[in-house]
Amino acid sequence: MKVLVAVKRVVDYNVKVRVKSDGTGVDIANVKMSMNPFDEIAVEEAVRLKEKGVVTEIVAVSCGVTQCQETLRTAMAIGADRAILVECADELQPLAVAKLLAALVKKEQPGLVILGKQAIDDDCNQTGQMLAALANLPQGTYASKVVIEGGVANITREVDGGTEHLKLTLPAVLTTDLRLNEPRYVTLPNIMKAKKKPLEVFKPADLGVDVSPRIKTLNVSEPPKRGAGIKVPDVATLVAKLKNEAKVI
């Protein structure tokens, strides 16, 4: 079975993001970039499925600028067999990415598509769901456990009330949650091997997809700084401050 894993290049989670002075977005100049942590979990899960003998081939996919090749090489160092980059210099919104992935699903015919549940830069949490709708595939989101047997994916997913268990007939779309696994450390020998693995590059036009943005960002600003906490002498004072100053009750 072939698995398609989508990975995104984002600002590293250790970096403190700063807003541009003109308020048009965040400043990513000379900022460390890395693979989205949830996508790293997705790649790790695909590799574990391959190690169990369930999967025969792992294809890593990324959509974005040329530098996304570095992210794909990291995915191949973790264990992906080959990679596909849909190169586009324009801003790609979730719907555009979902359309690109749907075109690749049609082209590659994978038995399973795995994505991170969300990206840490825009926090949209939409691409996997949109892909499932466009490709007309069953979906399991926020997966914390995955067991594949006989063409069926048994998914344990986290919901507000606890956990939910789903059975999905393959092919299907799966989005990974934080507790699904812990990604392995990428070794230097595997990084060197990844440089020799095949990486195809397409343009959105090659896949017949229009990636024009549907949403316009008007302004980006930092959240207001939180004030220092204070101690109150009794419950009555606390209730009064919550009612009159914070106005939350």
Side-chain angles (χ1 to χ4, degrees), residues 51-189:
E51 290 171 346
K52 292 176 182 177
V54 177
V55 170
T56 55
E57 184 183 24
I58 302 170
V59 183
V61 179
S62 190
C63 306
V65 296
T66 306
Q67 291 86 340
C68 289
Q69 292 190 22
E70 301 169 8
T71 308
L72 289 170
R73 293 294 176 191
T74 301
M76 289 190 284
I78 295 173
D81 299 295
R82 59 187 176 93
I84 298 173
L85 171 62
V86 183
E87 191 174 19
C88 180
D90 300 328
E91 177 193 3
L92 291 175
Q93 294 176 352
L95 180 58
V97 176
K99 287 181 177 179
L100 292 171
L101 293 176
L104 289 173
V105 167
K106 186 176 180 180
K107 179 178 183 295
E108 293 286 337
Q109 295 293 310
L112 183 66
V113 184
I114 309 179
L115 310 86
K117 71 170 184 177
Q118 65 194 77
I120 62 171
D121 52 0
D122 55 23
D123 248 7
C124 281
N125 188 0
Q126 297 173 342
T127 307
Q129 292 88 330
M130 289 179 171
L131 170 61
L134 292 169
N136 195 27
L137 295 174
Q139 63 175 310
T141 56
Y142 318 130
S144 58
K145 184 178 180 181
V146 179
V147 178
I148 296 179
E149 296 175 334
V152 175
N154 296 281
I155 311 297
T156 301
R157 61 189 300 266
E158 299 187 0
V159 294
D160 291 341
T163 58
E164 182 180 48
H165 302 279
L166 301 177
K167 284 190 176 182
L168 307 178
T169 303
L170 300 179
V173 175
L174 170 68
T175 70
T176 61
D177 209 340
L178 190 65
R179 282 161 287 280
L180 179 59
N181 62 52
E182 184 175 343
R184 67 194 65 194
Y185 177 77
V186 180
T187 62
L188 181 59

